[in-house]
Amino acid sequence: MTTYALIGAAGYIAPRHMRAMADTGGKLALAYDPNDSVGIMDSHFPDAEFFTEFELFDRHVGALQRDGKKIDYMTICSPNYLHDAHCRFALRSGVDAICEKPLVLNPGDIDGLAAIERDTGRRISTILQLRLHPAIIALRNRFANSQKRHKVELTYITSRGRWYHTSWKGAEERSGGVATNIGVHFFDMLSFVFGPASRNEAHLRAAERAAGSLECERADVSWFLSLDRNDLPESVKGKKTTYRSITVDGEEVEFSEGFTDLHTRSYEEIIAGRGFRLDEVRPSIDIVSTFRNAPIVRSNGVHAFAQKA
Ligand code: NAD
């Protein structure tokens, strides 16, 4: 049976990991979160140990390892800026890591993690669940060998309340900002389907929204992301809180369904030795890090929503 430890057990995404562990026949042995709102653990793993102090969690991980009660994976669901440190902790404890997105905030951190992978012989896999979405796989199959350049427009509006800006998610140094925290899935998907980006232009960078354009190997991309429900198109305002649209050469890519069990699919792949590793993460981390530091200009491919903003 695959045995897990979990960091960040009280948060929004942790239950999806617990379900993925259970769905794939695994067991959560212990978990840690400074916040003790973890009653959700009873749904799958009532016997798991739980710690609110890192030192006691560390001690228990060490004790299990010494007693030969092997932990196979340490799952990391903590705030983005802590992923790097928590991955190091997992590997130094002799345990492979499964880390939520974005793996790290800057490309230089990937080099550091690669060095620890080499030193410890352990590995890090990250959650990039869109790569496992059937519609995205179909898109990649369709465009991976395309000989022409395509025009892609990405619009993603996902309403968040005021709490977002009080939490770590609203602090750029902790989450990376909107483009990193919300956008990294899409930038990974775009480079997965259309190849890595060579030009990366920033058009808009604010607490609530971000926009820019990318020149990928096989596509010119204009993108717009927002957390503000006022940006929702009139057609969905008052009916939905999220609007997602991706067009390729003017044709809408349909992928509104099929999101529910992608964490379980991610675990199946990781357990089978096909997790997404450091090199696969790098293109999207390069994109978000470059965007964060780029000057605001409006030369190429400005998204219509960004022109209004
Ligand atoms: P959250 O704020 O709901 O949960 C984060 C948890 O980490 C909280 O319970 C918090 O108490 C805990 N925490 C804070 N400091 C900690 C520390 N020092 N050590 C250990 N735990 C600590 O956030 P969330 O939405 O669950 O996001 C968690 C991670 O999952 C983030 O990296 C986020 O980007 C990612 N995420 C991924 C997806 C996806 O679709 N793959 C969706 C949402 C979030």
PDB file of all heavy atoms in Angstrom, residues 45-78:
ATOM      1  N   PHE A  45      -9.317   9.285   6.258  1.00  0.00           N
ATOM      2  CA  PHE A  45      -8.199   8.742   7.049  1.00  0.00           C
ATOM      3  C   PHE A  45      -8.298   9.124   8.529  1.00  0.00           C
ATOM      4  O   PHE A  45      -7.458   9.862   9.044  1.00  0.00           O
ATOM      5  CB  PHE A  45      -6.866   9.236   6.462  1.00  0.00           C
ATOM      6  CG  PHE A  45      -6.680   8.873   5.018  1.00  0.00           C
ATOM      7  CD1 PHE A  45      -6.732   9.850   4.035  1.00  0.00           C
ATOM      8  CD2 PHE A  45      -6.474   7.549   4.636  1.00  0.00           C
ATOM      9  CE1 PHE A  45      -6.569   9.518   2.692  1.00  0.00           C
ATOM     10  CE2 PHE A  45      -6.318   7.210   3.304  1.00  0.00           C
ATOM     11  CZ  PHE A  45      -6.362   8.198   2.328  1.00  0.00           C
ATOM     12  N   PRO A  46      -9.306   8.609   9.241  1.00  0.00           N
ATOM     13  CA  PRO A  46      -9.466   8.975  10.651  1.00  0.00           C
ATOM     14  C   PRO A  46      -8.300   8.527  11.529  1.00  0.00           C
ATOM     15  O   PRO A  46      -8.114   9.059  12.618  1.00  0.00           O
ATOM     16  CB  PRO A  46     -10.776   8.272  11.057  1.00  0.00           C
ATOM     17  CG  PRO A  46     -10.996   7.218  10.023  1.00  0.00           C
ATOM     18  CD  PRO A  46     -10.358   7.691   8.773  1.00  0.00           C
ATOM     19  N   ASP A  47      -7.506   7.557  11.064  1.00  0.00           N
ATOM     20  CA  ASP A  47      -6.402   7.075  11.898  1.00  0.00           C
ATOM     21  C   ASP A  47      -5.085   7.815  11.667  1.00  0.00           C
ATOM     22  O   ASP A  47      -4.076   7.512  12.318  1.00  0.00           O
ATOM     23  CB  ASP A  47      -6.170   5.568  11.647  1.00  0.00           C
ATOM     24  CG  ASP A  47      -7.367   4.761  12.122  1.00  0.00           C
ATOM     25  OD1 ASP A  47      -7.991   5.179  13.121  1.00  0.00           O
ATOM     26  OD2 ASP A  47      -7.695   3.747  11.481  1.00  0.00           O
ATOM     27  N   ALA A  48      -5.100   8.769  10.744  1.00  0.00           N
ATOM     28  CA  ALA A  48      -3.845   9.490  10.451  1.00  0.00           C
ATOM     29  C   ALA A  48      -3.461  10.363  11.640  1.00  0.00           C
ATOM     30  O   ALA A  48      -4.320  10.940  12.305  1.00  0.00           O
ATOM     31  CB  ALA A  48      -4.033  10.357   9.201  1.00  0.00           C
ATOM     32  N   GLU A  49      -2.162  10.457  11.901  1.00  0.00           N
ATOM     33  CA  GLU A  49      -1.665  11.372  12.940  1.00  0.00           C
ATOM     34  C   GLU A  49      -1.745  12.792  12.375  1.00  0.00           C
ATOM     35  O   GLU A  49      -1.600  12.995  11.167  1.00  0.00           O
ATOM     36  CB  GLU A  49      -0.195  11.070  13.266  1.00  0.00           C
ATOM     37  CG  GLU A  49       0.070   9.653  13.729  1.00  0.00           C
ATOM     38  CD  GLU A  49      -0.453   9.386  15.135  1.00  0.00           C
ATOM     39  OE1 GLU A  49      -0.783  10.343  15.860  1.00  0.00           O
ATOM     40  OE2 GLU A  49      -0.553   8.195  15.495  1.00  0.00           O
ATOM     41  N   PHE A  50      -1.952  13.765  13.286  1.00  0.00           N
ATOM     42  CA  PHE A  50      -2.011  15.154  12.821  1.00  0.00           C
ATOM     43  C   PHE A  50      -1.211  16.053  13.754  1.00  0.00           C
ATOM     44  O   PHE A  50      -1.285  15.899  14.980  1.00  0.00           O
ATOM     45  CB  PHE A  50      -3.473  15.642  12.738  1.00  0.00           C
ATOM     46  CG  PHE A  50      -3.555  17.099  12.398  1.00  0.00           C
ATOM     47  CD1 PHE A  50      -3.163  17.546  11.137  1.00  0.00           C
ATOM     48  CD2 PHE A  50      -3.991  18.034  13.327  1.00  0.00           C
ATOM     49  CE1 PHE A  50      -3.201  18.892  10.816  1.00  0.00           C
ATOM     50  CE2 PHE A  50      -4.035  19.389  13.015  1.00  0.00           C
ATOM     51  CZ  PHE A  50      -3.646  19.817  11.754  1.00  0.00           C
ATOM     52  N   PHE A  51      -0.468  16.974  13.170  1.00  0.00           N
ATOM     53  CA  PHE A  51       0.380  17.884  13.945  1.00  0.00           C
ATOM     54  C   PHE A  51       0.149  19.323  13.514  1.00  0.00           C
ATOM     55  O   PHE A  51      -0.020  19.591  12.312  1.00  0.00           O
ATOM     56  CB  PHE A  51       1.868  17.544  13.728  1.00  0.00           C
ATOM     57  CG  PHE A  51       2.198  16.138  14.105  1.00  0.00           C
ATOM     58  CD1 PHE A  51       2.091  15.110  13.175  1.00  0.00           C
ATOM     59  CD2 PHE A  51       2.579  15.820  15.398  1.00  0.00           C
ATOM     60  CE1 PHE A  51       2.370  13.793  13.517  1.00  0.00           C
ATOM     61  CE2 PHE A  51       2.863  14.509  15.760  1.00  0.00           C
ATOM     62  CZ  PHE A  51       2.761  13.492  14.823  1.00  0.00           C
ATOM     63  N   THR A  52       0.158  20.230  14.491  1.00  0.00           N
ATOM     64  CA  THR A  52       0.084  21.655  14.143  1.00  0.00           C
ATOM     65  C   THR A  52       1.452  22.323  14.311  1.00  0.00           C
ATOM     66  O   THR A  52       1.589  23.505  14.046  1.00  0.00           O
ATOM     67  CB  THR A  52      -0.936  22.394  15.048  1.00  0.00           C
ATOM     68  OG1 THR A  52      -0.575  22.153  16.406  1.00  0.00           O
ATOM     69  CG2 THR A  52      -2.359  21.950  14.772  1.00  0.00           C
ATOM     70  N   GLU A  53       2.433  21.545  14.794  1.00  0.00           N
ATOM     71  CA  GLU A  53       3.783  22.101  14.933  1.00  0.00           C
ATOM     72  C   GLU A  53       4.734  21.321  14.039  1.00  0.00           C
ATOM     73  O   GLU A  53       4.782  20.083  14.096  1.00  0.00           O
ATOM     74  CB  GLU A  53       4.241  22.009  16.394  1.00  0.00           C
ATOM     75  CG  GLU A  53       3.530  23.010  17.276  1.00  0.00           C
ATOM     76  CD  GLU A  53       3.769  22.707  18.743  1.00  0.00           C
ATOM     77  OE1 GLU A  53       3.002  21.920  19.305  1.00  0.00           O
ATOM     78  OE2 GLU A  53       4.736  23.255  19.288  1.00  0.00           O
ATOM     79  N   PHE A  54       5.482  22.080  13.237  1.00  0.00           N
ATOM     80  CA  PHE A  54       6.366  21.443  12.259  1.00  0.00           C
ATOM     81  C   PHE A  54       7.365  20.503  12.927  1.00  0.00           C
ATOM     82  O   PHE A  54       7.626  19.403  12.435  1.00  0.00           O
ATOM     83  CB  PHE A  54       7.112  22.513  11.445  1.00  0.00           C
ATOM     84  CG  PHE A  54       8.045  21.916  10.453  1.00  0.00           C
ATOM     85  CD1 PHE A  54       7.554  21.358   9.283  1.00  0.00           C
ATOM     86  CD2 PHE A  54       9.408  21.850  10.699  1.00  0.00           C
ATOM     87  CE1 PHE A  54       8.408  20.763   8.366  1.00  0.00           C
ATOM     88  CE2 PHE A  54      10.267  21.259   9.791  1.00  0.00           C
ATOM     89  CZ  PHE A  54       9.771  20.718   8.619  1.00  0.00           C
ATOM     90  N   GLU A  55       7.921  20.942  14.073  1.00  0.00           N
ATOM     91  CA  GLU A  55       8.967  20.151  14.732  1.00  0.00           C
ATOM     92  C   GLU A  55       8.453  18.758  15.116  1.00  0.00           C
ATOM     93  O   GLU A  55       9.176  17.766  15.003  1.00  0.00           O
ATOM     94  CB  GLU A  55       9.482  20.869  15.994  1.00  0.00           C
ATOM     95  CG  GLU A  55      10.230  22.165  15.715  1.00  0.00           C
ATOM     96  CD  GLU A  55       9.316  23.352  15.410  1.00  0.00           C
ATOM     97  OE1 GLU A  55       8.072  23.183  15.380  1.00  0.00           O
ATOM     98  OE2 GLU A  55       9.839  24.456  15.183  1.00  0.00           O
ATOM     99  N   LEU A  56       7.186  18.707  15.559  1.00  0.00           N
ATOM    100  CA  LEU A  56       6.632  17.406  15.970  1.00  0.00           C
ATOM    101  C   LEU A  56       6.335  16.529  14.750  1.00  0.00           C
ATOM    102  O   LEU A  56       6.491  15.302  14.791  1.00  0.00           O
ATOM    103  CB  LEU A  56       5.369  17.621  16.810  1.00  0.00           C
ATOM    104  CG  LEU A  56       5.569  18.432  18.099  1.00  0.00           C
ATOM    105  CD1 LEU A  56       4.272  18.481  18.907  1.00  0.00           C
ATOM    106  CD2 LEU A  56       6.697  17.850  18.943  1.00  0.00           C
ATOM    107  N   PHE A  57       5.922  17.176  13.677  1.00  0.00           N
ATOM    108  CA  PHE A  57       5.696  16.454  12.409  1.00  0.00           C
ATOM    109  C   PHE A  57       7.025  15.865  11.932  1.00  0.00           C
ATOM    110  O   PHE A  57       7.119  14.671  11.607  1.00  0.00           O
ATOM    111  CB  PHE A  57       5.121  17.452  11.399  1.00  0.00           C
ATOM    112  CG  PHE A  57       4.934  16.931  10.004  1.00  0.00           C
ATOM    113  CD1 PHE A  57       3.975  15.973   9.722  1.00  0.00           C
ATOM    114  CD2 PHE A  57       5.705  17.432   8.959  1.00  0.00           C
ATOM    115  CE1 PHE A  57       3.777  15.521   8.412  1.00  0.00           C
ATOM    116  CE2 PHE A  57       5.509  16.986   7.657  1.00  0.00           C
ATOM    117  CZ  PHE A  57       4.554  16.027   7.389  1.00  0.00           C
ATOM    118  N   ASP A  58       8.048  16.689  11.922  1.00  0.00           N
ATOM    119  CA  ASP A  58       9.394  16.275  11.503  1.00  0.00           C
ATOM    120  C   ASP A  58       9.850  15.068  12.338  1.00  0.00           C
ATOM    121  O   ASP A  58      10.339  14.061  11.811  1.00  0.00           O
ATOM    122  CB  ASP A  58      10.330  17.485  11.689  1.00  0.00           C
ATOM    123  CG  ASP A  58      11.787  17.169  11.427  1.00  0.00           C
ATOM    124  OD1 ASP A  58      12.079  16.100  10.872  1.00  0.00           O
ATOM    125  OD2 ASP A  58      12.643  18.003  11.780  1.00  0.00           O
ATOM    126  N   ARG A  59       9.628  15.172  13.655  1.00  0.00           N
ATOM    127  CA  ARG A  59      10.049  14.113  14.568  1.00  0.00           C
ATOM    128  C   ARG A  59       9.342  12.800  14.220  1.00  0.00           C
ATOM    129  O   ARG A  59       9.956  11.729  14.192  1.00  0.00           O
ATOM    130  CB  ARG A  59       9.690  14.560  15.989  1.00  0.00           C
ATOM    131  CG  ARG A  59      10.174  13.708  17.086  1.00  0.00           C
ATOM    132  CD  ARG A  59      10.022  14.466  18.407  1.00  0.00           C
ATOM    133  NE  ARG A  59      10.181  13.559  19.521  1.00  0.00           N
ATOM    134  CZ  ARG A  59       9.178  12.886  20.055  1.00  0.00           C
ATOM    135  NH1 ARG A  59       7.957  13.044  19.616  1.00  0.00           N
ATOM    136  NH2 ARG A  59       9.398  12.049  21.056  1.00  0.00           N
ATOM    137  N   HIS A  60       8.039  12.900  13.931  1.00  0.00           N
ATOM    138  CA  HIS A  60       7.263  11.695  13.638  1.00  0.00           C
ATOM    139  C   HIS A  60       7.664  11.082  12.289  1.00  0.00           C
ATOM    140  O   HIS A  60       7.727   9.860  12.156  1.00  0.00           O
ATOM    141  CB  HIS A  60       5.767  12.024  13.663  1.00  0.00           C
ATOM    142  CG  HIS A  60       4.912  10.818  13.875  1.00  0.00           C
ATOM    143  ND1 HIS A  60       4.704  10.237  15.115  1.00  0.00           N
ATOM    144  CD2 HIS A  60       4.220  10.053  12.997  1.00  0.00           C
ATOM    145  CE1 HIS A  60       3.927   9.183  14.983  1.00  0.00           C
ATOM    146  NE2 HIS A  60       3.615   9.046  13.704  1.00  0.00           N
ATOM    147  N   VAL A  61       7.935  11.954  11.314  1.00  0.00           N
ATOM    148  CA  VAL A  61       8.410  11.452  10.010  1.00  0.00           C
ATOM    149  C   VAL A  61       9.693  10.661  10.237  1.00  0.00           C
ATOM    150  O   VAL A  61       9.846   9.526   9.748  1.00  0.00           O
ATOM    151  CB  VAL A  61       8.668  12.627   9.013  1.00  0.00           C
ATOM    152  CG1 VAL A  61       9.429  12.148   7.776  1.00  0.00           C
ATOM    153  CG2 VAL A  61       7.348  13.280   8.596  1.00  0.00           C
ATOM    154  N   GLY A  62      10.606  11.241  11.014  1.00  0.00           N
ATOM    155  CA  GLY A  62      11.886  10.572  11.297  1.00  0.00           C
ATOM    156  C   GLY A  62      11.676   9.230  11.997  1.00  0.00           C
ATOM    157  O   GLY A  62      12.314   8.227  11.649  1.00  0.00           O
ATOM    158  N   ALA A  63      10.755   9.217  12.965  1.00  0.00           N
ATOM    159  CA  ALA A  63      10.511   7.988  13.732  1.00  0.00           C
ATOM    160  C   ALA A  63       9.964   6.884  12.816  1.00  0.00           C
ATOM    161  O   ALA A  63      10.399   5.727  12.890  1.00  0.00           O
ATOM    162  CB  ALA A  63       9.535   8.273  14.868  1.00  0.00           C
ATOM    163  N   LEU A  64       9.020   7.246  11.947  1.00  0.00           N
ATOM    164  CA  LEU A  64       8.446   6.241  11.036  1.00  0.00           C
ATOM    165  C   LEU A  64       9.528   5.682  10.118  1.00  0.00           C
ATOM    166  O   LEU A  64       9.608   4.461   9.907  1.00  0.00           O
ATOM    167  CB  LEU A  64       7.325   6.854  10.188  1.00  0.00           C
ATOM    168  CG  LEU A  64       6.011   7.193  10.908  1.00  0.00           C
ATOM    169  CD1 LEU A  64       5.022   7.827   9.943  1.00  0.00           C
ATOM    170  CD2 LEU A  64       5.390   5.945  11.525  1.00  0.00           C
ATOM    171  N   GLN A  65      10.365   6.574   9.594  1.00  0.00           N
ATOM    172  CA  GLN A  65      11.427   6.131   8.672  1.00  0.00           C
ATOM    173  C   GLN A  65      12.393   5.187   9.399  1.00  0.00           C
ATOM    174  O   GLN A  65      12.780   4.163   8.858  1.00  0.00           O
ATOM    175  CB  GLN A  65      12.194   7.332   8.093  1.00  0.00           C
ATOM    176  CG  GLN A  65      11.343   8.306   7.269  1.00  0.00           C
ATOM    177  CD  GLN A  65      10.936   7.744   5.930  1.00  0.00           C
ATOM    178  OE1 GLN A  65      10.026   6.923   5.845  1.00  0.00           O
ATOM    179  NE2 GLN A  65      11.593   8.183   4.866  1.00  0.00           N
ATOM    180  N   ARG A  66      12.752   5.571  10.623  1.00  0.00           N
ATOM    181  CA  ARG A  66      13.706   4.743  11.397  1.00  0.00           C
ATOM    182  C   ARG A  66      13.132   3.375  11.714  1.00  0.00           C
ATOM    183  O   ARG A  66      13.821   2.373  11.701  1.00  0.00           O
ATOM    184  CB  ARG A  66      14.062   5.452  12.708  1.00  0.00           C
ATOM    185  CG  ARG A  66      15.327   6.277  12.623  1.00  0.00           C
ATOM    186  CD  ARG A  66      15.855   6.632  14.000  1.00  0.00           C
ATOM    187  NE  ARG A  66      14.839   7.046  14.942  1.00  0.00           N
ATOM    188  CZ  ARG A  66      14.273   8.254  14.977  1.00  0.00           C
ATOM    189  NH1 ARG A  66      14.632   9.173  14.097  1.00  0.00           N
ATOM    190  NH2 ARG A  66      13.352   8.555  15.869  1.00  0.00           N
ATOM    191  N   ASP A  67      11.806   3.349  11.978  1.00  0.00           N
ATOM    192  CA  ASP A  67      11.154   2.065  12.319  1.00  0.00           C
ATOM    193  C   ASP A  67      10.860   1.219  11.082  1.00  0.00           C
ATOM    194  O   ASP A  67      10.196   0.194  11.170  1.00  0.00           O
ATOM    195  CB  ASP A  67       9.816   2.314  13.037  1.00  0.00           C
ATOM    196  CG  ASP A  67      10.034   2.911  14.415  1.00  0.00           C
ATOM    197  OD1 ASP A  67      11.209   2.948  14.856  1.00  0.00           O
ATOM    198  OD2 ASP A  67       9.053   3.353  15.028  1.00  0.00           O
ATOM    199  N   GLY A  68      11.276   1.705   9.912  1.00  0.00           N
ATOM    200  CA  GLY A  68      11.037   0.964   8.678  1.00  0.00           C
ATOM    201  C   GLY A  68       9.601   1.037   8.191  1.00  0.00           C
ATOM    202  O   GLY A  68       9.192   0.287   7.310  1.00  0.00           O
ATOM    203  N   LYS A  69       8.791   1.975   8.788  1.00  0.00           N
ATOM    204  CA  LYS A  69       7.413   2.147   8.301  1.00  0.00           C
ATOM    205  C   LYS A  69       7.469   3.222   7.220  1.00  0.00           C
ATOM    206  O   LYS A  69       7.209   4.404   7.453  1.00  0.00           O
ATOM    207  CB  LYS A  69       6.489   2.578   9.440  1.00  0.00           C
ATOM    208  CG  LYS A  69       6.333   1.496  10.480  1.00  0.00           C
ATOM    209  CD  LYS A  69       5.438   1.949  11.605  1.00  0.00           C
ATOM    210  CE  LYS A  69       5.374   0.883  12.680  1.00  0.00           C
ATOM    211  NZ  LYS A  69       5.157   1.402  14.001  1.00  0.00           N
ATOM    212  N   LYS A  70       7.838   2.790   6.058  1.00  0.00           N
ATOM    213  CA  LYS A  70       8.224   3.704   4.988  1.00  0.00           C
ATOM    214  C   LYS A  70       7.093   4.638   4.546  1.00  0.00           C
ATOM    215  O   LYS A  70       5.966   4.200   4.345  1.00  0.00           O
ATOM    216  CB  LYS A  70       8.672   2.852   3.798  1.00  0.00           C
ATOM    217  CG  LYS A  70       9.502   3.585   2.800  1.00  0.00           C
ATOM    218  CD  LYS A  70      10.087   2.567   1.825  1.00  0.00           C
ATOM    219  CE  LYS A  70      10.222   3.118   0.440  1.00  0.00           C
ATOM    220  NZ  LYS A  70       8.997   3.378  -0.261  1.00  0.00           N
ATOM    221  N   ILE A  71       7.437   5.929   4.414  1.00  0.00           N
ATOM    222  CA  ILE A  71       6.502   6.870   3.770  1.00  0.00           C
ATOM    223  C   ILE A  71       6.929   6.949   2.306  1.00  0.00           C
ATOM    224  O   ILE A  71       8.095   7.223   2.009  1.00  0.00           O
ATOM    225  CB  ILE A  71       6.609   8.265   4.412  1.00  0.00           C
ATOM    226  CG1 ILE A  71       6.325   8.194   5.910  1.00  0.00           C
ATOM    227  CG2 ILE A  71       5.660   9.255   3.742  1.00  0.00           C
ATOM    228  CD1 ILE A  71       6.732   9.445   6.652  1.00  0.00           C
ATOM    229  N   ASP A  72       5.998   6.697   1.402  1.00  0.00           N
ATOM    230  CA  ASP A  72       6.355   6.701  -0.023  1.00  0.00           C
ATOM    231  C   ASP A  72       6.379   8.118  -0.605  1.00  0.00           C
ATOM    232  O   ASP A  72       7.251   8.435  -1.409  1.00  0.00           O
ATOM    233  CB  ASP A  72       5.344   5.849  -0.810  1.00  0.00           C
ATOM    234  CG  ASP A  72       5.398   4.397  -0.369  1.00  0.00           C
ATOM    235  OD1 ASP A  72       6.423   3.754  -0.636  1.00  0.00           O
ATOM    236  OD2 ASP A  72       4.431   3.930   0.266  1.00  0.00           O
ATOM    237  N   TYR A  73       5.389   8.932  -0.213  1.00  0.00           N
ATOM    238  CA  TYR A  73       5.306  10.290  -0.788  1.00  0.00           C
ATOM    239  C   TYR A  73       4.913  11.288   0.284  1.00  0.00           C
ATOM    240  O   TYR A  73       4.080  10.996   1.143  1.00  0.00           O
ATOM    241  CB  TYR A  73       4.232  10.367  -1.882  1.00  0.00           C
ATOM    242  CG  TYR A  73       4.526   9.529  -3.090  1.00  0.00           C
ATOM    243  CD1 TYR A  73       3.918   8.289  -3.260  1.00  0.00           C
ATOM    244  CD2 TYR A  73       5.399   9.985  -4.071  1.00  0.00           C
ATOM    245  CE1 TYR A  73       4.176   7.508  -4.378  1.00  0.00           C
ATOM    246  CE2 TYR A  73       5.672   9.208  -5.193  1.00  0.00           C
ATOM    247  CZ  TYR A  73       5.056   7.973  -5.338  1.00  0.00           C
ATOM    248  OH  TYR A  73       5.321   7.213  -6.441  1.00  0.00           O
ATOM    249  N   MET A  74       5.475  12.512   0.155  1.00  0.00           N
ATOM    250  CA  MET A  74       5.015  13.624   0.969  1.00  0.00           C
ATOM    251  C   MET A  74       4.307  14.596   0.028  1.00  0.00           C
ATOM    252  O   MET A  74       4.916  15.111  -0.912  1.00  0.00           O
ATOM    253  CB  MET A  74       6.186  14.301   1.669  1.00  0.00           C
ATOM    254  CG  MET A  74       5.706  15.225   2.767  1.00  0.00           C
ATOM    255  SD  MET A  74       7.044  15.810   3.812  1.00  0.00           S
ATOM    256  CE  MET A  74       7.762  14.332   4.496  1.00  0.00           C
ATOM    257  N   THR A  75       3.014  14.795   0.277  1.00  0.00           N
ATOM    258  CA  THR A  75       2.218  15.684  -0.564  1.00  0.00           C
ATOM    259  C   THR A  75       2.241  17.089   0.020  1.00  0.00           C
ATOM    260  O   THR A  75       2.044  17.262   1.231  1.00  0.00           O
ATOM    261  CB  THR A  75       0.773  15.154  -0.648  1.00  0.00           C
ATOM    262  OG1 THR A  75       0.780  13.967  -1.442  1.00  0.00           O
ATOM    263  CG2 THR A  75      -0.155  16.163  -1.280  1.00  0.00           C
ATOM    264  N   ILE A  76       2.460  18.076  -0.837  1.00  0.00           N
ATOM    265  CA  ILE A  76       2.646  19.455  -0.374  1.00  0.00           C
ATOM    266  C   ILE A  76       1.535  20.353  -0.919  1.00  0.00           C
ATOM    267  O   ILE A  76       1.438  20.569  -2.133  1.00  0.00           O
ATOM    268  CB  ILE A  76       4.044  19.951  -0.797  1.00  0.00           C
ATOM    269  CG1 ILE A  76       5.093  19.070  -0.099  1.00  0.00           C
ATOM    270  CG2 ILE A  76       4.239  21.423  -0.459  1.00  0.00           C
ATOM    271  CD1 ILE A  76       6.459  19.120  -0.708  1.00  0.00           C
ATOM    272  N   CYS A  77       0.690  20.824   0.002  1.00  0.00           N
ATOM    273  CA  CYS A  77      -0.457  21.680  -0.354  1.00  0.00           C
ATOM    274  C   CYS A  77      -0.371  22.998   0.410  1.00  0.00           C
ATOM    275  O   CYS A  77      -1.397  23.583   0.753  1.00  0.00           O
ATOM    276  CB  CYS A  77      -1.771  20.994   0.013  1.00  0.00           C
ATOM    277  SG  CYS A  77      -2.057  19.477  -0.861  1.00  0.00           S
ATOM    278  N   SER A  78       0.822  23.442   0.695  1.00  0.00           N
ATOM    279  CA  SER A  78       1.019  24.679   1.455  1.00  0.00           C
ATOM    280  C   SER A  78       1.004  25.869   0.493  1.00  0.00           C
ATOM    281  O   SER A  78       0.995  25.691  -0.735  1.00  0.00           O
ATOM    282  CB  SER A  78       2.346  24.582   2.209  1.00  0.00           C
ATOM    283  OG  SER A  78       3.374  24.191   1.330  1.00  0.00           O
TER     284      SER A  78
END
